[in-house]
Amino acid sequence: MDVCLDHDFDLVKVVEEIRKAKARKILVQLPEGFHRCFNSISHALKSSIGNNLEIFLSLNPSYGPCLIDEHTANEINADMIVHFGHVEYPYYRPRVRVLYVPVEYKGVDMHRVKELLASLCREGEKLCIVSTSQHIELCKKLEKELSDCNISYRGTVFGCTHADVRSCSTLLVIAGGRFSCIAQGLQLQSRGSGLRIMCLDPYTYRLWNPAEELVKILRVRMWKVHKALEGKRWLIVSGTYGQSRKELVDMLLNKLREKGFEVDVAKVLRLDRDSIVNIGSSYDVVVVVSCPYQAFDFYDLEVPIITVGEAFMVLAGNIERYIYPW
């Protein structure tokens, strides 16, 4: 698979928007897997607009639209940011001009996907679909073309947003990898929903049920919560841009101080293992506010690294109902 050729960077629209904005300097953001496509993107844009267009690539984290690189855009005095790979994040409005380009995956075999979905279609039941940004058009086509299946496309989801599952019989998450589907499963668990959830990876054509994996993950998470119940020294790790979440940080600070716990706050752009190991050893509990799923990456550390929702469980003294993400 050629990542650059198999995805639609919608450069015609990008050129139109750059011209409309009369931009002379732009900052391009790409998820790491698309960095190899920057050269061809830059060449195409300059060929259409002219070599007087200045194009910079941000190599700062671009895990999602919650991390728009405002600092670099301001530092180079960019007229706009072209953010490839995501749609706009609902909880964050950057203070710079941003063009979001979803980057649709074009290499999908529609026939294979339809065959897989046929096994989920049941008479009198509604199959609700959500996706990540790369599969929006695929989902719209499925909704339109599978006339014998009651499909409702409910839009895009992120790791910390939940799907609209009203009137749904089954929720299908179409996304590459595991993260998006597991996150939606945790959301349903948090809301006490018994809705059936299935996952489809359109890159590998794997249709899978996350139920067993969710059970394993929840066992680990509850173990971390139990360990955090004993903690007196807490560290809150907040992110930047759309991962800053000041209201959540303030809520945690107030609740922890009311209980007389020691608490510090750290800010981070990219949370890596070395950082969390080095600073985490000084605390009993670390709460990751920036991105809830990041806490899961450090499940093997001795110090419990927990999410905001898990922190609220500990502080309320109620660990009967799992809370995700907050």
Side-chain angles (χ1 to χ4, degrees):
M1 183 176 92
D2 187 315
V3 170
C4 303
L5 294 178
D6 285 340
H7 288 83
D8 182 9
F9 291 87
D10 204 357
L11 296 182
V12 172
K13 178 183 177 181
V14 174
V15 168
E16 289 177 357
E17 293 299 322
I18 291 174
R19 284 176 172 159
K20 189 186 299 182
K22 297 180 180 178
R24 289 291 173 263
K25 185 184 293 183
I26 67 170
L27 177 67
V28 169
Q29 273 193 286
L30 292 155
E32 286 186 12
F34 288 143
H35 281 174
R36 69 190 72 177
C37 308
F38 175 69
N39 181 263
S40 59
I41 290 171
S42 177
H43 177 77
L45 294 180
K46 288 181 178 179
S47 295
S48 297
I49 297 175
N51 287 324
N52 60 333
L53 176 67
E54 291 187 75
I55 306 176
F56 291 77
L57 171 65
S58 169
L59 291 178
N60 286 322
S62 185
Y63 307 130
C66 49
L67 286 175
I68 301 299
D69 195 356
E70 297 184 55
H71 174 76
T72 302
N74 289 328
E75 186 179 69
I76 66 173
N77 198 27
D79 298 306
M80 68 187 297
I81 295 175
V82 181
H83 182 94
F84 289 100
H86 305 101
V87 295
E88 189 174 13
Y89 184 54
Y91 305 140
Y92 167 50
R93 295 292 179 270
R95 289 166 292 185
V96 295
R97 184 169 190 159
V98 182
L99 172 64
Y100 297 90
V101 185
V103 188
E104 184 78 17
Y105 175 52
K106 301 185 296 181
V108 68
D109 183 333
M110 281 293 291
H111 179 70
R112 288 184 67 178
V113 172
K114 288 179 180 179
E115 283 187 338
L116 290 168
L117 260 63
S119 65
L120 301 179
C121 296
R122 298 172 181 174
E123 188 174 348
E125 295 187 359
K126 180 176 289 186
L127 175 62
C128 296
I129 300 177
V130 294
S131 73
T132 50
S133 302
Q134 282 71 54
H135 313 294
I136 295 171
E137 295 306 317
L138 167 63
C139 293
K140 289 179 179 178
K141 287 180 182 178
L142 292 171
E143 183 180 41
K144 181 179 179 180
E145 296 178 11
L146 282 177
S147 55
D148 56 342
C149 188
N150 186 10
I151 292 179
S152 174
Y153 179 47
R154 300 296 174 91
T156 55
V157 288
F158 305 98
C160 57
T161 63
H162 62 81
D164 174 8
V165 295
R166 289 173 294 181
S167 74
C168 302
S169 304
T170 298
L171 176 66
L172 175 66
V173 181
I174 297 182
R178 301 164 48 257
F179 167 63
S180 297
C181 192
I182 293 297
Q184 289 308 306
L186 292 172
Q187 296 267 8
L188 292 175
Q189 176 79 21
S190 179
R191 288 182 282 164
S193 172
L195 185 71
R196 181 190 186 207
I197 180 170
M198 295 293 291
C199 318
L200 173 63
D201 186 329
Y203 298 102
T204 63
Y205 302 101
R206 180 189 177 213
L207 180 65
W208 56 290
N209 186 327
E212 288 188 12
E213 190 166 351
L214 284 167
V215 170
K216 293 177 182 177
I217 289 173
L218 284 169
R219 282 186 189 141
V220 174
R221 300 319 307 164
M222 293 307 295
W223 173 52
K224 296 296 182 182
V225 169
H226 275 281
K227 288 193 68 175
L229 286 169
E230 305 167 0
K232 301 298 181 184
R233 297 172 302 163
W234 289 59
L235 175 68
I236 298 171
V237 179
S238 174
T240 55
Y241 308 129
Q243 292 188 350
S244 182
R245 313 192 198 285
K246 183 179 184 301
E247 290 184 3
L248 289 176
V249 172
D250 288 344
M251 287 176 63
L252 285 169
L253 282 171
N254 290 335
K255 290 180 180 294
L256 287 165
R257 286 168 178 165
E258 284 173 4
K259 290 185 173 292
F261 293 163
E262 295 179 27
V263 56
D264 292 318
V265 180
K267 297 283 288 184
V268 66
L269 178 60
R270 184 197 298 264
L271 185 61
D272 58 35
R273 179 168 289 268
D274 287 342
S275 298
I276 206 72
V277 167
N278 287 333
I279 194 169
S281 60
S282 303
Y283 296 90
D284 301 322
V285 185
V286 176
V287 187
V288 178
V289 177
S290 52
C291 176
Y293 210 76
Q294 283 184 321
F296 293 13
D297 291 338
F298 308 114
Y299 70 92
D300 57 330
L301 299 184
E302 183 65 24
V303 174
I305 314 295
I306 64 175
T307 68
V308 174
E310 292 165 353
F312 285 147
M313 291 168 62
V314 172
L315 293 171
N318 181 3
I319 60 173
E320 298 301 316
R321 183 177 72 87
Y322 187 73
I323 300 175
Y324 181 91
W326 39 67

